[in-house]
DNA sequence: GTCAGTGCAAAGCTTTTGCAGCGCG
DNA sequence: CGCGCTGCAAAAGCTTTGCACTGAC
C-alpha cells in the first residue's frame, strides 16, 4: 500500500509549485513570505496536511508565520482550485490539487489513526456513472473509508 | 431524486427507534428524558441532522434539553453503532444506522447547499473490491459528492 | 506611495468536560 | 436510595475576523 501512496504523492510534485505560483500571479496576487512558505510546505508533504501541521512545520523551520496566514492562504488556494479540502474527522486537511484532474482518496485506520491514500479507476467510474444517473453535475468528491489497516489486522 | 431519498429515509424508520431503545437497555443504560428526546428527533428526521439542529428542534418543541446532553447521547449512540457520523463540511451530522447494514451516501449542491442522499450498488461493489485489493478491512465508509443539483443546473 | 499581505490577538463556532442536583431502576 | 442522566456553564479545540503595520509592486 505504501507503494501506492508514494506514487500518488510524488508523481507531479515539482509541477504543482510552479503551477500554483503561476495561477496566483495570474489572478493578480502578490507574493508574500507567509504565502510562499505555505506553498512550499504543501509541496513538500503533499498528502493530508492540517493547517496546524503546516503551521508547526513552518515554525520548526524558524519561519515566523501566523496561523491566520496559513488559514488565509489555504482559503485562497482553495478558491483558486489549487488545493483540495478533505474532512477526515476532527479537523480538515489540505493537499495540492493536481492540474490533470487526477486525485486520490483516503483510508483511515480506526485503530492506529494512520491515514493512507489510494487511487481506484473502478471507483471513479462508479461515481461518474452515478452523477449521470442522478442528473447531478459532480465536480469535487471525496471518499473516506474507515477500517483496520493490514498492520493492525495482523496484530 | 427526491424519490430515492424518501425511500432510503423512510424504509425501516419505525424499526430503528425500537432497535435503538433495545440496544441501549441491553447495554445497561437507563432511559432519561433527554436521551429519549434525541432518539425521537433522530427517528423523525433521519438524514443528516447536526447536533445543533437536534437541539433547536427539541427546544422549539418545548423540551428543556441541554446541548451537552445532545452531544453525549450522540456519542453514546455512535459507540453502540446506532448512528452514523458524516463529516459533510463545517459540522458533523448524524443519522440512524440501519441494522441491516444498508446505508446511503450524500450529494451536496455547492450552489444552493442542499444535501441529498443516494444509494448505489455499483459504488458499494467498487468499495468492497478496493478493500480486498488493499488488504484493508473496510468497515464504515462515507462518500461525499459535491456539485450542482438538477435545479441549480437548470437555473 | 498604495494597498495587498501579514502577525498577533480576540472573537466565533462546534464539541467536550466539570459539577451539582434530579430521578430512573 | 445509589448512581446514571441531566442542565448549565465553563473550557477546549478549530477557524475566522479586526487591526495596525510591513513590504511588494
Amino acid at each position: 500500500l505504501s507503494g501506492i501512496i508514494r506514487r500518488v504523492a510524488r508523481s507531479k510534485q515539482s509541477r504543482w509549485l510552479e503551477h500554483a505560483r503561476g495561477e496566483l500571479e495570474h489572478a493578480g496576487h502578490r507574493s508574500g513570505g507567509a504565502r510562499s512558505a505555505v506553498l512550499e510546505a504543501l509541496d513538500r508533504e503533499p498528502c493530508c496536511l492540517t493547517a496546524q501541521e503546516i503551521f508547526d512545520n513552518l515554525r520548526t523551520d524558524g519561519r515566523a508565520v501566523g496561523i491566520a496566514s496559513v488559514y488565509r492562504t489555504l482559503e485562497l488556494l482553495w478558491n483558486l482550485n489549487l488545493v483540495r479540502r478533505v474532512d477526515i474527522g476532527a479537523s480538515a486537511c489540505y493537499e495540492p490539487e493536481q492540474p490533470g484532474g487526477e486525485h486520490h482518496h483516503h483510508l483511515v485506520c480506526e485503530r492506529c489513526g494512520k491515514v493512507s491514500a489510494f487511487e481506484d479507476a473502478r471507483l471513479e467510474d462508479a461515481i461518474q456513472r452515478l452523477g449521470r444517473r442522478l442528473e447531478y453535475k459532480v465536480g469535487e468528491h471525496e471518499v473516506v473509508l474507515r477500517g483496520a489497516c493490514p498492520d493492525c489486522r495482523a496484530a
Side-chain angles (χ1 to χ4, degrees), chain A:
Chain A
L1 179 56
S2 64
I4 299 173
I5 303 169
R6 272 310 128 200
R7 252 182 290 136
V8 171
R10 299 290 170 186
S11 59
K12 288 195 177 182
Q13 178 186 359
S14 54
R15 294 253 171 88
W16 180 79
L17 189 54
E18 295 169 41
H19 171 67
R21 283 204 259 245
E23 288 294 303
L24 282 167
E25 191 182 342
H26 183 259
H29 292 281
R30 297 180 185 176
S31 165
R35 191 169 292 165
S36 302
V38 172
L39 283 174
E40 287 160 25
L42 281 166
D43 189 56
R44 218 175 298 138
E45 195 80 53
C47 179
C48 255
L49 278 168
T50 63
Q52 190 65 51
E53 283 167 348
I54 293 172
F55 177 73
D56 292 342
N57 289 351
L58 295 178
R59 283 294 166 116
T60 301
D61 293 358
R63 304 257 218 169
V65 295
I67 190 138
S69 294
V70 175
Y71 278 106
R72 278 188 284 235
T73 299
L74 288 171
E75 190 190 353
L76 175 60
L77 295 177
W78 188 72
N79 286 337
L80 294 172
N81 257 295
L82 292 168
V83 293
R84 202 154 80 94
R85 184 192 152 113
V86 183
D87 292 309
I88 282 285
S91 56
C93 45
Y94 300 85
E95 50 193 33
E97 179 92 67
Q98 298 302 342
E102 88 186 33
H103 65 266
H104 58 265
H105 295 293
H106 299 93
L107 281 156
V108 181
C109 177
E110 292 187 303
R111 291 202 221 172
C112 68
K114 187 172 60 184
V115 177
S116 311
F118 67 87
E119 298 179 286
D120 191 68
R122 191 188 298 269
L123 184 63
E124 297 304 323
D125 184 55
I127 288 169
Q128 293 312 319
R129 282 168 188 265
L130 187 58
R132 286 195 293 276
R133 175 164 79 85
L134 300 177
E135 295 175 53
Y136 242 80
K137 187 177 182 309
V138 174
E140 233 184 307
H141 55 273
E142 59 191 65
V143 179
V144 178
L145 309 183
R146 296 172 208 278
C149 69
D151 292 348
C152 287
R153 284 182 80 179

